[in-house]
Amino acid sequence: MKTKTGSGKEATLHQRILGDIENRILTGEWPPGHRIPFEVDLATEYNCSRMTVNKVMTQLVKAGLVERHRKAGSFVRQPQAQSAVLEIHDIEAEVKSLHLAYAFTLVRKVERIAAADDRRLLEVGEEASVAEVLCIHFAGERPFCIEERLINLGVVPEAASSDFGGMPPGRWLLRQVPWTTAEHRISAVPAEAEMARMLRIAKGTACLVVERRTWSGQGPVTWVRFTYPGDSHALVARFTPASNQPERS
């Protein structure tokens, strides 16, 4: 980030303060909701003018990292991610758009003959084999969402022996089998105990759930459910008016 300040010394100090605060936010040392020291205190800490600190805070507000509350002070902003309803989005890109480091953990991966629920979700027959995958995606040090996925091994047999090469299962699948059709289902649910534990939220917290099924020319590819803490995620759809249709009698 480049700033316009009155002198080289001031510019260097501006960058130092900005870098220090950004680092504390992005590493999770100052988590969402943390109250940042008052400008007068920061000015004392860095032995600079309050105007210099004010410019830094204004820049952080514009970057979406900090929010100001009148009389209460400045606080680390809760990241607000957005996903397009009609697109298959990349979670890593979403996290990085929030200026946070991305990581994911593969919690579980098992292969089995499809159970009744698997067959219903994937629309496959009784002899079908599936891979069940559970992942946690992180934004900085905090869980961003939980991924629960079923993969049809009849269409993607490589998934049986793959550890996904260190990449998220969704991206790995897109490289293996181009999808031709997708279906999204969106709902809101209270977090059950296990889900709350993995997301590090209170049991019963409202969560946003996005379920998706995709197909290729060879048949059903995957069913996946993403669960997000409801206060940190939004879904967006952009569309244009449908063409005018003639009235029918």
Side-chain angles (χ1 to χ4, degrees), residues 8-18 46-48 52 56:
K9 183 177 180 181
E10 185 183 358
T12 301
L13 185 55
H14 178 107
Q15 292 293 341
R16 179 187 163 200
I17 300 170
L18 179 64
Y46 287 96
N47 191 26
C48 66
T52 297
V56 169

Side-chain angles (χ1 to χ4, degrees), residues 15-247:
Q15 292 293 341
R16 179 187 163 200
I17 300 170
L18 179 64
D20 285 353
I21 296 177
E22 279 186 334
N23 184 64
R24 288 171 177 170
I25 293 173
L26 299 182
T27 60
E29 180 183 346
W30 287 357
H34 177 84
R35 189 172 75 177
I36 296 170
F38 290 112
E39 291 182 7
V40 65
D41 296 324
L42 287 171
T44 300
E45 178 184 346
Y46 287 96
N47 191 26
C48 66
S49 69
R50 186 171 175 179
M51 182 177 294
T52 297
V53 174
N54 182 267
K55 289 179 180 178
V56 169
M57 299 307 296
T58 298
Q59 194 165 346
L60 290 167
V61 169
K62 290 181 179 178
L65 295 175
V66 169
E67 57 187 5
R68 284 170 165 155
H69 296 283
R70 190 175 180 182
K71 296 184 179 180
S74 299
F75 297 81
V76 177
R77 185 178 179 184
Q78 175 71 43
Q80 294 291 322
Q82 293 186 343
S83 302
V85 177
L86 301 179
E87 296 178 1
I88 292 184
H89 54 279
D90 183 89
I91 295 177
E92 180 174 358
E94 281 189 275
V95 170
K96 289 184 175 179
S97 74
L98 300 172
H99 311 288
L100 294 170
Y102 169 78
F104 85 97
T105 298
L106 180 61
V107 178
R108 182 173 68 245
K109 175 177 177 286
V110 296
E111 297 84 43
R112 62 167 185 265
I113 299 298
D117 283 347
D118 302 333
R119 297 196 297 270
R120 175 180 58 82
L121 293 170
L122 274 174
E123 296 184 347
V124 293
E126 293 185 0
E127 301 302 317
S129 297
V130 299
E132 178 192 2
V133 178
L134 175 64
C135 290
I136 305 176
H137 299 267
F138 291 86
E141 298 297 320
R142 297 171 64 87
F144 183 72
C145 73
I146 304 300
E147 173 181 347
E148 301 168 272
R149 184 182 292 273
L150 294 172
I151 302 172
N152 181 5
L153 296 178
V155 173
V156 197
E158 300 86 352
S161 58
S162 177
D163 62 358
F164 308 119
M167 70 176 64
R171 187 186 304 168
W172 183 89
L173 276 171
L174 287 173
R175 294 187 178 186
Q176 299 294 319
V177 183
W179 61 276
T180 57
T181 306
E183 172 188 277
H184 279 168
R185 180 176 180 272
I186 302 162
S187 58
V189 300
E192 297 182 353
E194 181 63 13
M195 191 63 63
R197 183 189 65 79
M198 288 191 289
L199 288 173
R200 301 179 195 169
I201 57 178
K203 181 181 177 181
T205 299
C207 291
L208 177 69
V209 175
V210 180
E211 294 183 62
R212 181 170 68 233
R213 292 192 292 179
T214 57
W215 293 262
S216 73
Q218 303 173 56
V221 176
T222 188
W223 167 90
V224 62
R225 176 166 56 207
F226 297 104
T227 303
Y228 302 82
D231 63 352
S232 64
H233 206 87
L235 292 172
V236 178
R238 178 174 294 182
F239 50 90
T240 57
S243 58
N244 292 330
Q245 299 293 327
E247 293 185 1

